[in-house]
Amino acid sequence: MLGWAKLLNLPEDLAERRERLAELRDELVATLQTETGATLVGHPDRRLPGYAMMGFPELSGADLVQGFADRDIAVSSGSACHSGDRSPSRVLMEMDIDTNLAFGAVRFSLGRDTTSEDVQYVKDQLGRVLEEARR
């Protein structure tokens, strides 16, 4: 009998990939929380392994997105269909997330090609990005 992975044409190392992504995500989240005071938006455990929505109170998500983009780091502050919109995410507002936190929310997405060096680069650039966003 074929397993679900075979039937759905999933890679056999899917569990390993998920675990690796979750570890990288958790490393990034821990750094963002301890070094910047950012807040994890959403459930701490029940979430995708390569996804972290972080809220930076008193900062603009759009300014943060630009600061990361200037360093070739792709993050998002909302859905693709609202690109360029500087208002808080409608979804976050519907989740009853504090407006100040939602306004400064940024989504970090990691993928199968994300490495620990990529996460380290984001961590290395944080100070500069936050400093620019505060101006």
Side-chain angles (χ1 to χ4, degrees), residues 35-46:
E35 293 186 16
T36 70
T39 301
L40 178 64
V41 177
H43 196 278
D45 300 317
R46 293 188 316 227

Side-chain angles (χ1 to χ4, degrees), residues 1-86:
M1 186 159 135
L2 291 173
W4 281 108
K6 290 274 189 214
L7 287 172
L8 297 175
N9 199 25
L10 298 174
E12 294 199 16
D13 65 342
L14 186 61
E16 293 169 15
R17 287 184 190 186
R18 290 177 55 86
E19 186 175 325
R20 184 184 67 80
L21 279 178
E23 287 173 5
L24 291 172
R25 176 206 62 208
D26 292 346
E27 176 186 341
L28 180 60
V29 168
T31 297
L32 293 169
Q33 289 175 319
T34 58
E35 293 186 16
T36 70
T39 301
L40 178 64
V41 177
H43 196 278
D45 300 317
R46 293 188 316 227
R47 55 198 168 108
L48 297 173
Y51 174 89
M53 176 68 83
M54 302 298 295
F56 297 83
E58 309 300 326
L59 295 176
S60 160
D63 291 342
L64 290 166
V65 168
Q66 184 60 53
F68 282 113
D70 290 345
R71 288 158 180 83
D72 295 323
I73 300 168
V75 298
S76 176
S77 62
S79 63
C81 61
H82 289 97
S83 179
D85 187 354
R86 296 185 68 87

